[in-house]
Amino acid sequence: MIISAEPLIYGLIFLAVLALVQGIYLTVFGKSISLNNRVNRRLDMLEKGAGREQVLEQLRKEMSQHMKSQSIPLYAILADKAQKANIAFTPAQLIMLMGVLTMVAFVLLTFGTGASLLIRVVVSVIMGVGAVFVWVNNTAKKRLAMVEEQLPDAVELMVRSLRVGHPFTSALQIVAKEVPDPLGTEMGVISDEAAYGRDVGEALKHMAERLDMQDMRFLAVAVTIQQTSGGNLAEILDGLAKVVRSRFKLFRRVKAITAEAKWSGMFLSMFPILALVMINVIQPNYYDDVRETAYFIPACLVVAAFLVVNIFVMRMLVNIKV
């Protein structure tokens, strides 16, 4: 019995292409673009000698460029995720990156597999485009999760600053200096915009809509109400920080409780496909006796339909809104 190594080679090539995306990104923009960097990107750019206005212009361009390019064919699928991930690559550069990765995957498939030219072309395109999409999607999820985790601490830092007598704009500047990315740079942009005359409540609301984050909307509404009708902003933000932290803890608890169900759903969805692949690899002639029967294709369609339904049902069961 001979087991083909080509499926494993395909998987390794895709992982190599996926790692190459992150490598190119860090090479072009430097270590400060990484989400786990202690010094936020805005401060790093200022320390390197760039002017405050120049840094603000560059960061604002990066934060809005993807949504402005939704008219590009097929790019609209990626635009929303790229916006939330705050990918510094321009839409044109991302499309070029897909092309480069497609060529790299094609070369690796040519030397690593014996597949036909058509299969290598199709698979390399899927790998090149898919690697960028997976990378952007994972970056967006990681970035939004980090913003949600950083927000209660940032709001509490604002509260302490307001209680010692600092104005809200100064509190924003302190958060921009003390909090690492991704929230540090976001707050730094708002602080710079406020210094150039933009309304702080409007800037916070714009950031909340861009990130599509409910907790950030609460912060924007609290600041806007205080600006229009007055009140003790420190007390309002202190209550908001407690609410946000409580929601975050509840979300973590729900995530832990539903983790087993999610993995069970993934296993139940993927195991039949993996079993089918392994059967065909180990015993290619296993289905020869039934392949030519009239019921084979309908049975396959029914099984595929059940697998798709299973995926959606399991996602609905564990998708608990907090």
Side-chain angles (χ1 to χ4, degrees), residues 5-15 109 113-115 119-120 123 127:
E6 284 204 1
L8 179 61
I9 294 174
Y10 285 131
L12 292 175
I13 291 175
F14 181 75
L15 292 177
L109 288 171
T113 67
I119 292 177
R120 278 181 285 144
V123 173
M127 285 186 176

Side-chain angles (χ1 to χ4, degrees), residues 248-264:
F248 186 73
K249 287 169 121 180
L250 180 60
F251 177 76
R252 283 289 182 90
R253 186 176 180 183
V254 170
K255 187 176 180 180
I257 293 173
T258 59
E260 182 181 357
K262 286 182 179 180
W263 281 103
S264 298

Side-chain angles (χ1 to χ4, degrees), residues 13 97 130 154 158 163 195 197 215 220 228 235 240 260 265 278 318:
I13 291 175
L97 183 62
M158 293 179 195
R163 282 176 174 169
D215 293 336
T228 55
E235 293 300 323
L240 176 62
E260 182 181 357
M278 290 304 298
V318 300

Side-chain angles (χ1 to χ4, degrees), residues 40 42 150 175-177 179-189:
N40 67 58
R42 172 178 168 272
Q150 290 175 318
V175 171
K177 291 179 181 178
V179 176
D181 271 342
L183 189 58
T185 294
E186 292 281 355
M187 289 299 181
V189 170

Side-chain angles (χ1 to χ4, degrees), residues 43-58:
L43 292 180
D44 184 73
M45 294 171 71
L46 290 172
E47 289 176 359
K48 289 180 179 178
R52 187 178 182 183
E53 186 175 352
Q54 180 184 356
V55 171
L56 176 61
E57 182 181 357
Q58 174 65 25

Side-chain angles (χ1 to χ4, degrees), residues 20-21 26 76 83 123 138 155 160 189 194 256 260 280 316:
L20 185 60
V21 180
L26 294 177
Q83 187 70 36
V123 173
N138 289 342
V155 175
R160 291 194 293 270
V189 170
E260 182 181 357
N280 279 278
M316 286 190 293

Side-chain angles (χ1 to χ4, degrees), residues 91-104:
Q93 289 172 336
L94 271 180
I95 294 173
M96 289 175 59
L97 183 62
M98 291 179 187
V100 171
L101 294 176
T102 297
M103 290 188 289
V104 171

